[in-house]
Structure formats: C-alpha cells, structure tokens
Amino acid sequence: MSDTVSGCTRPRTTVTEAEVEALVHGICFKTGPPRRLGVEVEWLVHELRAPRLPVSPERLEAVYSALRAVPLRSALTVEPGGQLELSSLPAASLTECVATVSADLDAVRAVLREDGLALVGLGHDPWHAPRRFLRQPRYDAMEACLDRTGPAGRFMMCTSASVQVCLDAGHEEPGPLGHVRRWWLAHHLGAVLLAAFANSPLAGGRPTGWRSTRQLRWTQIGTGRAGGPPLDADPRGAWTRHVLDAPVMCVRSDGGPWDVPEGMSFRQWTRTGAPRPPTREDLDYHLTTLFPPVRPRGHLELRMIDAQPGDDGWMVPLAVTAALFDDPEAAETAYRAVKPLAERTLGLPAPHNPLYEDAARDALADPELREAAVTCFTAALGALPRVGATTEVTDAVAEYLERYVRRGRCPADDLLDMPDGASRGPHGRETRP
C-alpha cells in the first residue's frame, strides 16, 4: 500500500504490448543467491488510554509532522486511513533487519507516546469504521475503483495492517533455493503463515467468523486487483500475463481527478491507446496497484500476514519466513510439509481458493494447517542459529511455537477469548468469499 508513485508524470515514451511483456518479464524476478531480507511493518494508530476513541485527523497530522523530523533508517509512510508503516532497507542478515527496524520503532513510539498515541498490532481495526485520512488523487481513484466491488476496499485501505516480508527471488537453477520453487513455496506456505499469524477476528466490535478478517477483505476485493496468477513452471510468464490482463485502476492526469476506467485491462490499453497511450511510467504505476498475496518486485513480497500483537511480535513472522526460505534444509522441510496442501487449492490461484479461505477463517483449528505449521515452525527454529539469529529472536519463535502453533491457536483466538463477550462466537457470520 505504501509504494506510491509521487504525483503524475507527463507522458513520455509510449509502450506497446510487446514492450510491456518484455519489461515485466525482465524486472519481476531478479535471480541470484538469496542474500537480502526486508520487512514492512504496518500499524494502526490508537489513543493510548482509550483505544476505542477515534484519533482526530488533526492529531494524526501533527504527530506525523513531528515524525518527519526524526532520523530513521527505515522509510516511514502513512496509509490512506492514517495507519503508519515502516519499510526497512534491504538487510544483509536477519539480525541487521531486526536491529534496524526495532531501533526505528523505538524512536517512533517515543514521539507518539508524547501525544498520547500508540502503535497497535492488529490486522484489522476491531472498532472503527473506515475513514480516509489521506486525500490524494491516487487514493481518490483507488476508492472509486474498489467501491465497484463493495465496501471491502475501504476497509482494506483504512482499517487494515500487516507484516510484509521481502525475500530475494532465489537462484535461476532448480532446487530448494531456486526461484521457481520459492515462488511455489511462497504461495502454499503463505496459507500456513496466514493461519499461524491470523490476528483480526473482529470488526465493528463483533466477531466476524474469520480469524483473519483482513484476508477476508482482500479476497472480497476480487481476483483482478487482489488475486495472484495461476502457478506453473514459468513464474515470469504467468506474472507477465497477469499484469497485462489485470484491470487498470486509473489513468493519471496533471490536473483534476484521475480517470477511473471500468473493465479496461492494461493489455487493452496498449491496443486501443485510449483515453491516451500508456507509457513506461503508467506501467510502473500499474504494478503498484496490484495486490496479490505474493508480489514479485524483483524480489518476493509476502503480503498475507496480519500485523502482530506486542512491540516485537512482528519479529516472529519475519524470522520464521526468512529461515524457511533461506536455509536449504528448512526450505526442503517446508516444501514437503506444505505439498499435500496444494490439492486443497483445486488449482485456483491464491487467495481465491479453498486453502486460503480455510486458513483465513479457521486458522490453525484446521488440523492439516496445524500439522504443517508445527513442522514448519520446528524446522525454522532449528535453522535460525544457522542463519545467524540472535537468542532474543530464537527465543521469541520458540515461545510462539509453544504458545500458539502446537496448541492449534493464533493471536486471533486470544482476542476471541476476551471476557467482553467475544468468546461467545460470531453473532452474524459474514458471507464466504
């Protein structure tokens, strides 16, 4: 959500369909040995002492102005509903990534605390209705586009938060660290990560019937905007076709509202040249308006993990994911553990398949997802010393394994167990996607 393209650029070089194919094919997977790691942590911003009270736009603007003067190594951005995001630089190790983001979060929290505000790790706001904080042409156009498929888009824009883990695409050649295997693993292990870290069971103060309401919102947005491509042996080709066939969110202009076409794919835009011919800048922008659970941006961006509770909860999904992808032994174990789950997708792309639906709704109460999660977390725990993890990180993963995964639970279950009535279960189950 934070990868905005600033402003609108005047059209430069028009691109043809064939040129788009070549460009996307060339930039989506940059192969080589896995060396870099990154994380993007999104947070809801609530009142410190009365979190059910909405924070006024004026207070948010004041505190964000103060934060812009704070020296940070991570990029700080603001989401449409006022959520805060920190995006790390590519790190050479898990330890470096954790240390950098932890220091930046400490600095951010100190500024917010002075104004009586706090960062809250929840995948979906449990109380507040969607309310736009940012008024920019990009988000005006996004809202108009997503409104066509119902209210889920506004919830996604304004009330959701996540932990997004970024990994190198991997080697060109086959094997556990090859880019084809890692692309496949990201989608199927992604369902296990979704289930194990589900942390958004409430909306409007009531249970929704889904452990990850955030993932439900993404699924409701639809396949063109929030779906992935079919999985095959040629990830580059599949993603290129997906990009060309995905609907164009908007046609930017230098003045006035941006045009929001209905049902026009980027492929159609290159062929018709209307309302104006697309440019390389339009293609770059189009790529930022696609939100699949795994997005190739040269590296792989895993987007299915809810924001986590506690100041340091975000470290656990980062560490588990890094260990399972970058340690060859753990990667092979994870591959074998999730391979049986592939049948439950029915060959449908994520997240619009039964596997992701079950993971978002039932989380680790699903026996097969629980079994796979126990295997994967155990493998990750064994691999963390080999990838140079600190004792703090290793202990956090071990605690999570015992507290949640082995018991078939996730943070959403803690929220549902709260003594305010949530533990009595959903009062009105939302329709399945």
Side-chain angles (χ1 to χ4, degrees):
M1 287 293 300
S2 68
D3 39 10
T4 27
V5 174
S6 58
C8 170
T9 339
R10 291 188 178 276
R12 295 178 183 172
T13 305
T14 299
V15 288
T16 65
E17 182 178 345
E19 289 169 335
V20 170
E21 288 181 345
L23 285 167
V24 176
H25 198 273
I27 64 176
C28 56
F29 293 89
K30 295 179 181 177
T31 53
R35 290 196 178 105
R36 298 288 182 176
L37 175 70
V39 67
E40 300 175 16
V41 285
E42 296 174 343
W43 304 86
L44 304 177
V45 178
H46 285 174
E47 292 281 356
L48 184 61
R49 301 190 182 280
R52 298 195 185 205
L53 294 178
V55 182
S56 71
E58 293 76 18
R59 287 187 69 200
L60 285 176
E61 183 57 51
V63 76
Y64 289 149
S65 294
L67 283 172
R68 293 184 190 106
V70 176
L72 302 171
R73 292 192 62 191
S74 306
L76 186 147
T77 51
V78 180
E79 299 296 316
Q83 310 99 304
L84 182 147
E85 177 178 289
L86 283 180
S87 302
S88 73
L89 294 171
S93 68
L94 174 61
T95 297
E96 178 188 331
C97 188
V98 168
T100 299
V101 177
S102 295
D104 287 343
L105 282 169
D106 287 345
V108 168
R109 287 193 179 97
V111 173
L112 266 64
R113 195 162 46 243
E114 289 180 2
D115 199 34
L117 299 176
L119 298 179
V120 177
L122 288 168
H124 190 281
D125 196 304
W127 305 298
H128 304 131
R131 183 188 64 175
R132 283 269 304 283
F133 169 68
L134 296 181
R135 294 290 170 181
Q136 299 172 0
R138 169 183 171 88
Y139 297 122
D140 292 342
M142 181 181 290
E143 185 175 272
C145 176
L146 297 180
D147 277 352
R148 290 171 179 160
T149 57
R154 295 195 182 204
F155 281 99
M156 177 276 293
M157 291 174 65
C158 300
T159 66
S160 70
S162 67
V163 176
Q164 298 174 19
V165 181
C166 300
L167 305 153
D168 281 331
H171 291 284
E172 188 71 30
E173 61 268 17
L177 301 185
H179 78 284
V180 175
R181 170 76 69 86
R182 285 162 74 88
W183 176 246
W184 186 96
L185 182 62
H187 287 84
H188 293 87
L189 178 60
V192 176
L193 298 173
L194 164 61
F197 296 110
N199 186 36
S200 53
L202 306 173
R206 301 167 63 182
T208 64
W210 297 77
R211 261 61 166 215
S212 179
T213 302
R214 172 184 167 273
Q215 183 59 57
L216 170 65
R217 303 300 187 202
W218 278 113
T219 306
Q220 290 172 331
I221 288 171
T223 58
R225 185 68 51 206
L231 296 181
D232 60 28
D234 178 20
R236 289 188 178 94
W239 178 249
T240 299
R241 291 188 294 272
H242 182 74
V243 168
L244 275 163
D245 293 330
V248 172
M249 177 176 284
C250 56
V251 177
R252 299 173 297 161
S253 63
D254 289 321
W258 295 358
D259 185 27
V260 183
E262 186 165 7
M264 181 180 75
S265 70
F266 205 91
R267 190 187 302 276
Q268 291 171 318
W269 194 8
T270 63
R271 292 178 177 181
T272 65
R276 61 166 175 77
T279 67
R280 169 64 189 268
E281 292 77 23
D282 291 318
L283 172 61
D284 292 342
Y285 188 83
H286 176 62
L287 291 169
T288 73
T289 68
L290 304 180
F291 308 112
V294 183
R295 185 162 62 173
R297 305 180 61 193
H299 58 273
L300 302 182
E301 181 183 81
L302 277 66
R303 305 172 49 86
M304 72 290 294
I305 302 169
D306 281 354
Q308 294 298 289
D311 288 352
D312 300 325
W314 58 273
M315 294 191 309
V316 177
L318 171 64
V320 169
T321 306
L324 293 177
F325 275 83
D326 291 351
D327 180 82
E329 181 181 335
E332 188 62 33
T333 299
Y335 173 74
R336 292 196 303 267
V338 303
K339 194 172 183 179
L341 298 175
E343 294 182 3
R344 292 173 59 175
T345 69
L346 303 181
L348 299 172
H352 299 89
N353 62 47
L355 177 61
Y356 268 69
E357 179 183 335
D358 292 342
R361 186 186 59 246
D362 302 326
L364 297 189
D366 182 293
E368 286 187 296
L369 285 167
R370 175 184 180 181
E371 181 181 358
V374 169
T375 300
C376 290
F377 272 69
T378 303
L381 189 60
L384 283 173
R386 296 195 294 270
V387 299
T390 63
T391 301
E392 176 191 12
V393 170
T394 303
D395 288 349
V397 172
E399 180 183 355
Y400 198 96
L401 172 61
E402 297 302 323
R403 178 178 178 179
Y404 292 115
V405 179
R406 291 196 191 280
R407 299 171 62 199
R409 290 175 62 85
C410 61
D413 293 308
D414 291 346
L415 295 171
L416 293 172
D417 286 346
M418 290 168 58
D420 60 0
S423 60
R424 290 194 292 271
H427 301 287
R429 191 176 178 120
E430 292 195 14
T431 304
R432 291 190 179 192

